[in-house]
Amino acid sequence: MVQTLQKVLENMLDRLYKIVTIYLPSLLAAVILFLGAYLLATAARWLLYRIFKGPAIDRFLRQSGLAFVLDPSGRLRATRLVAETVYWCLLLTGFLLGLTVFDSNITSHIIESLVFLMPKLVIAGLILLGGTWLGQYLGRSMLVWAVNEGIPGPRRLSLVVRIVVIFVAVVVAADQLDFARSVFLAAFIILVGGGVLTASLAIGLSGIGWRRLLEARKTAEAGEGERSLWNHL
C-alpha cells in the first residue's frame, strides 16, 4: 500500500516537473513580452498626448457629428482617439507575440483565428459606426421635416427611422462577421415587409381621407361661388 502510494506520488511529481520545465519558460517569456508591450504602449500613449493635437481631425469630427456618435457628451478629441487606438493596438500585438512563444496547436489556432478575424472586426465596427451616424442624421432630418409639415408624433417617426437604419447596419455587420446571418436576414425581411405593409395601409387610409377632404373643400367653394353670384345679382 505504501509502495503504491509512493509510486503514485512519484508519477505525479514527474508529470508536474515535465509541465513546469516545458511551460514555465514559455510563460515567463510571454509575460516579459506582454510587459514590454504594455510599457511601450503606455509610453506611446503618453507621447501622443503630449505632441499630437490634430485640430483638423477635431474639426472634422465636430462638423460631421462623429464626435457625438463616439462620445454623447461631444468632448472627444483626436488626441485621445489616436492615442487610445495606438495603445490598444500595441497591447494586442504584445498579447499575440506572447502566445507565439508557447508554439502549440491551441495557441497557433487562436493566433490564426484572431489574425483572420481582425480585418472583419474593423470593417464591422466601421459599418456600425457609419450606420449609427447615418441613423442620427436621417432621424434628425425626419424630425425637422415632420415638425415643419405638422405631422403628429415627429419624435416617434425620428426614432423609428434611426432604429431602422441602425438595424440595417447591424445586419450588414453580422453578415460581414458570418454571425447569425440567417437570423438577422429573416428579422430584416420581416421588418421590411412589416414596414412596407404599414406604409401601404397608411397611404391608402390617408388617401381616402385626403379625397374626402378635397371633395368637401370643392363642394364648399362651389357653394360660396354660387352664393356670391346670386348676391351680386
Side-chain angles (χ1 to χ4, degrees):
M1 183 66 182
V2 176
Q3 293 178 354
T4 304
L5 182 60
Q6 185 178 0
K7 186 179 292 185
V8 171
L9 290 175
E10 289 177 356
N11 292 332
M12 184 182 67
L13 291 175
D14 289 337
R15 286 196 298 270
L16 183 61
Y17 176 76
K18 290 179 181 179
I19 292 173
V20 170
T21 53
I22 292 174
Y23 291 106
L24 185 59
S26 300
L27 181 61
L28 291 176
V31 171
I32 291 172
L33 284 174
F34 185 75
L35 288 177
Y38 173 74
L39 294 175
L40 181 61
T42 304
R45 182 173 63 177
W46 179 83
L47 187 63
L48 286 172
Y49 270 115
R50 294 297 183 277
I51 66 175
F52 183 78
K53 299 303 178 184
I57 301 178
D58 287 335
R59 193 180 309 112
F60 170 75
L61 291 175
R62 288 194 302 270
Q63 292 178 354
S64 62
L66 289 175
F68 296 94
V69 174
L70 297 173
D71 186 6
S73 62
R75 292 193 297 267
L76 181 66
R77 295 293 178 266
T79 304
R80 178 185 173 189
L81 182 63
V82 174
E84 294 297 331
T85 302
V86 172
Y87 174 79
W88 287 107
C89 287
L90 290 176
L91 278 186
L92 181 61
T93 303
F95 176 73
L96 293 178
L97 289 176
L99 287 180
T100 57
V101 175
F102 291 96
D103 194 18
S104 62
N105 294 328
I106 297 176
T107 55
S108 299
H109 181 68
I110 292 174
I111 294 172
E112 184 178 355
S113 300
L114 286 176
V115 169
F116 283 105
L117 187 62
M118 283 305 298
K120 293 184 178 181
L121 284 175
V122 173
I123 295 174
L126 292 176
I127 290 172
L128 290 176
L129 179 61
T132 305
W133 173 80
L134 184 62
Q136 288 191 355
Y137 176 77
L138 293 179
R140 191 179 300 112
S141 300
M142 174 60 73
L143 178 62
V144 173
W145 177 78
V147 170
N148 292 333
E149 294 295 329
I151 298 176
R155 294 186 180 276
R156 293 181 181 178
L157 291 175
S158 173
L159 181 61
V160 168
V161 170
R162 187 178 303 176
I163 291 175
V164 170
V165 174
I166 294 176
F167 181 75
V168 172
V170 171
V171 172
V172 177
D175 183 74
Q176 178 67 30
L177 295 174
D178 295 332
F179 175 73
R181 179 180 296 177
S182 59
V183 175
F184 282 104
L185 182 60
F188 177 72
I189 292 173
I190 292 172
L191 179 64
V192 172
V196 171
L197 178 61
T198 304
S200 301
L201 292 175
I203 292 173
L205 295 175
S206 62
I208 295 173
W210 279 105
R211 181 181 176 183
R212 291 177 178 174
L213 181 61
L214 291 175
E215 289 179 352
R217 186 175 297 176
K218 288 181 179 179
T219 303
E221 290 178 354
E224 290 178 358
E226 293 176 358
R227 284 196 300 270
S228 62
L229 179 61
W230 287 109
N231 291 333
H232 177 70
L233 292 176

